[in-house]
């Protein structure tokens, strides 16, 4: 399997009266997949694959920022990933911790934002403190925003939003429900929907990632394993996205 279409830049969206797709997409979302297989191919423990995957995230986030993408959202740890061996979970938590410590410095230097999406309440306390710290730093800036999904599940996000809305409704703080209103109860409140969702690693499914937000996203699947993913793969994905005909349920005029 490979990217499905060739590198054709098209302005069809603009002609259709839909949003322009000139320039970079505003929001790219990525399911980080293939770390374990990358490590296995090299005779390394799975945790080495996650360490390589964290480095890839760092490179790709910098690249996205440099080309003018406004938001990059990655699926780092799902609500289902707790089923993995304890040793692997601890290694991922350590990597996330290390990344957030370093991110605090980078955020101040580059005036960028980092948000963690997901239920932080059951995460290790040090990680929770770092999440609060990055949230506080983010409030000061309005540049590029990286969103890291940790203990995140799309269905869980929707159920939590429904519960919060129901409470607000019962307390008289919320009235009629619209799609837009419901969106304001999600972890992703205030973040535009992803234009593209990329899944490296060869699987062709969303695996409970941004299932509300990705309703109209262009989905791009590739066999490249996440640690091998490069800026060229981002370029290919953007070219593929630009070649598609985004009609949002409308028709061509
Ligand atoms: C999926 O690959 C990857 C994960 C569940 C973990 C991703 C986490 C990181 C890269 C750690 C740090 C992240 C950031 C953002 C700093 P897999 O293990 O399912 O791979 P496989 O399908 O080949 O087994």
């Amino acid at each position: 399997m490979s990217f499905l279409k060739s590198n054709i830049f098209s302005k069809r969206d603009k002609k259709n009266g839909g949003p322009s797709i000139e320039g970079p997409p505003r929001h790219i979302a990525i399911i980080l997949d293939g770390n374990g297989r990358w490590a296995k191919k090299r005779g390394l423990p799975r945790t080495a694959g996650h360490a390589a995957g964290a480095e890839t995230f760092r490179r790709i986030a910098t690249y996205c920022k440099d080309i003018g993408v406004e938001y990059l959202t990655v699926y780092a740890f799902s609500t289902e990933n707790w089923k993995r061996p304890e040793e692997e979970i601890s290694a991922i938590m350590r990597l996330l911790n290390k990344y957030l410590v370093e991110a605090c410095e980078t955020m101040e230097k580059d005036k960028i934002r980092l948000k963690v999406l997901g239920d932080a309440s059951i995460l290790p306390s040090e990680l929770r403190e770092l999440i609060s710290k990055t949230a506080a730093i983010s409030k000061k800036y309005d540049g590029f925003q990286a969103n890291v999904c940790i203990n995140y599940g799309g269905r869980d996000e929707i159920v939590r939003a429904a519960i919060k809305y129901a409470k607000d409704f019962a307390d008289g703080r919320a009235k009629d429900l619209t799609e837009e209103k419901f969106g304001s109860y999600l972890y992703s409140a205030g973040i535009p929907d992803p234009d593209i969702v990329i899944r490296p690693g060869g699987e062709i499914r969303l695996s409970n990632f941004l299932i509300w937000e990705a309703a109209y996203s262009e989905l791009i699947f590739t066999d490249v394993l996440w640690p091998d993913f490069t800026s060229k793969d981002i370029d290919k994905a953007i070219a593929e996205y630009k070649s598609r005909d985004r009609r949002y349920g409308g028709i061509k005029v």
Side-chain angles (χ1 to χ4, degrees), residues 124-137:
S125 61
E126 204 185 332
L127 194 51
R128 285 204 314 270
E129 277 163 32
L130 283 164
I131 291 171
S132 305
K133 191 169 171 194
T134 54
I137 300 173

Side-chain angles (χ1 to χ4, degrees), residues 73-97:
T73 302
V74 295
Y75 203 7
F77 194 85
S78 74
T79 44
E80 288 74 36
N81 285 151
W82 298 106
K83 294 177 203 149
R84 294 187 177 214
E86 215 178 301
E87 195 189 302
E88 183 172 343
I89 295 174
S90 306
I92 294 174
M93 294 299 152
R94 276 197 301 275
L95 280 168
L96 289 166
N97 222 81

Side-chain angles (χ1 to χ4, degrees), residues 31-40 46-47 49-58 74-78 81 84 88 91-100 114 147-150 199-201 203 205 225-227:
I31 298 173
L32 309 183
D33 195 16
N35 296 347
R37 279 164 287 160
W38 182 92
K40 193 171 175 204
R46 292 177 59 81
T47 49
H50 296 314
E55 285 310 313
T56 302
F57 169 69
R58 219 184 298 265
V74 295
Y75 203 7
F77 194 85
S78 74
N81 285 151
R84 294 187 177 214
E88 183 172 343
I92 294 174
M93 294 299 152
R94 276 197 301 275
L95 280 168
L96 289 166
N97 222 81
K98 182 167 171 263
Y99 178 77
L100 292 189
L114 187 142
N147 302 306
V148 181
C149 297
I150 306 176
R199 181 167 192 155
E203 307 291 352
R205 56 174 169 265
L225 302 175
W226 173 247

Side-chain angles (χ1 to χ4, degrees), residues 8-23:
I8 311 161
F9 283 79
S10 152
K11 292 175 182 149
R12 274 180 289 176
D13 264 17
K14 207 170 185 190
K15 279 189 198 156
N16 288 337
S20 166
I21 52 171
E22 282 174 25

Side-chain angles (χ1 to χ4, degrees), residues 206-224:
L206 282 178
S207 298
N208 206 12
F209 182 48
L210 303 180
I211 52 178
W212 174 277
E213 298 86 344
Y216 282 100
S217 304
E218 296 297 330
L219 308 182
I220 295 183
F221 300 97
T222 169
D223 283 338
V224 176

